[in-house]
């Protein structure tokens, strides 16, 4: 999966990482570890797509994350 990240252009990587960081920052959780974990989940999905597997996005994981951030924002 590291090869997938290394093959990404800086522009594409920036388009992915900056919004992730900003979302964590809004929740007071701006940390490189959280961002790296989220990035690896995206890369895992790209890898799974390449090999023809069902991805975390196919099973609806993103909706769980979106719901989490909506709830956190509502109670903040």
């Amino acid at each position: 999966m590291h090869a997938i990240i290394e093959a990404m252009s800086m522009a594409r990587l920036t388009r992915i990482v900056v919004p992730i960081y900003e979302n964590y920052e809004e929740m007071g959780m701006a940390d490189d570890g959280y961002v790296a974990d989220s990035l690896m989940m995206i890369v895992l999905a790209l890898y799974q797509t390449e090999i023809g597997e069902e991805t975390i996005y196919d099973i609806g994981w993103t909706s769980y994350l979106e719901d989490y951030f909506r709830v956190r924002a509502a109670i903040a």
Side-chain angles (χ1 to χ4, degrees):
M1 290 189 302
H2 291 276
I4 294 172
I5 294 173
E6 290 172 5
M8 286 183 186
S9 70
M10 186 56 70
R12 182 173 184 201
L13 201 52
T14 300
R15 282 193 313 270
I16 294 170
V17 171
V18 169
I20 292 171
Y21 183 85
E22 289 172 347
N23 283 333
Y24 280 119
E25 188 175 46
E26 285 178 20
M27 297 290 104
M29 300 167 53
D31 179 86
D32 289 347
Y34 291 126
V35 174
D37 187 51
S38 294
L39 179 60
M40 291 308 290
M41 295 301 285
I42 293 167
V43 172
L44 174 60
L46 291 171
Y47 175 74
Q48 288 173 313
T49 297
E50 283 183 12
I51 63 173
E53 288 185 352
E54 184 176 53
T55 71
I56 58 173
Y57 300 103
D58 296 334
I59 60 174
W61 180 252
T62 53
S63 64
Y64 296 129
L65 291 176
E66 290 168 359
D67 290 345
Y68 170 80
F69 281 112
R70 274 194 213 100
V71 169
R72 294 286 299 187
I75 61 174

